[in-house]
Amino acid sequence: DGLKLLRLVEIIFKVNVTTYDKNPKMRIQKINNVTLALNSMISKGVKLLNIQAEDIVDGNLKLILGLIWSVILYNDISTIKHGNLRGKEALLSWCQQCTRGYSEIRIENFHKSWSTGLAFCALIHRFKPELIDFSLINQVINIIFFFSFND
């Protein structure tokens, strides 16, 4: 019915939503409440891709999880600072800086740069080298890729 989502928006984004249906019975009232909540999030800079109020009211779990993830990204990643950068760019820059000494690591994005697991292992090794024998990890990953492409 949108009431809990509105309350969550008020708490997380420190907004006061006053004009909403406090006792929604009909579907359109529930959709209107959720629309108010989504619009409040968008006005605060949360990026919502393909999430409509109807999806939330209808209980589309995939899109509800997407909404939750968008709120988490907004609140957690947007607060990261690294030099003059903020958010995802700051996190990417930090990862690049931390893996600079690893010649086989080239972190350019949060997709393909992480596909082998090598970048993640390098970050772990950087801070806890006793947990990972990085030279061994690199050899194992190269062997796995060799056999996966030569099937």
Side-chain angles (χ1 to χ4, degrees):
D1 61 11
L3 295 176
K4 289 180 183 171
L5 184 59
L6 280 166
R7 182 68 183 128
L8 180 70
V9 166
E10 288 180 328
I11 292 169
I12 291 178
F13 299 102
K14 297 175 179 53
V15 295
N16 189 17
V17 182
T18 56
T19 55
Y20 62 92
D21 195 316
K22 293 167 182 44
N23 192 20
K25 298 283 186 224
M26 298 184 337
R27 185 171 193 274
I28 190 69
Q29 293 169 319
K30 295 174 184 180
I31 289 171
N32 286 339
N33 281 352
V34 173
T35 299
L36 283 170
L38 296 178
N39 287 341
S40 294
M41 288 183 207
I42 291 168
S43 73
K44 291 296 184 178
V46 177
K47 292 182 178 152
L48 302 178
L49 300 174
N50 299 322
I51 299 174
Q52 305 298 319
E54 293 83 355
D55 300 316
I56 306 303
V57 171
D58 293 341
N60 184 325
L61 291 180
K62 185 176 179 181
L63 292 177
I64 291 170
L65 288 173
L67 174 64
I68 292 168
W69 182 245
S70 295
V71 172
I72 290 170
L73 283 177
Y74 173 82
N75 282 309
D76 287 343
I77 292 181
S78 68
T79 61
I80 296 173
K81 296 178 187 174
H82 187 253
N84 293 330
L85 301 172
R86 295 182 60 101
K88 283 176 104 171
E89 291 80 18
L91 183 58
L92 184 63
S93 173
W94 178 83
C95 291
Q96 291 167 336
Q97 180 181 349
C98 289
T99 57
R100 198 166 281 140
Y102 298 84
S103 60
E104 51 282 294
I105 306 296
R106 297 275 184 270
I107 298 178
E108 298 172 1
N109 55 46
F110 287 112
H111 301 287
K112 290 187 179 186
S113 298
W114 300 86
S115 63
T116 65
L118 199 55
F120 186 66
C121 288
L123 279 176
I124 293 171
H125 184 260
R126 166 85 160 74
F127 293 100
K128 291 283 191 173
E130 68 276 9
L131 295 178
I132 292 179
D133 181 347
F134 193 75
S135 62
L136 182 62
I137 292 290
N138 194 15
Q139 292 171 12
V140 169
I141 288 175
N142 285 337
I143 291 168
I144 290 169
F145 269 115
F146 174 79
F147 285 110
S148 68
F149 286 116
N150 292 308
D151 243 350

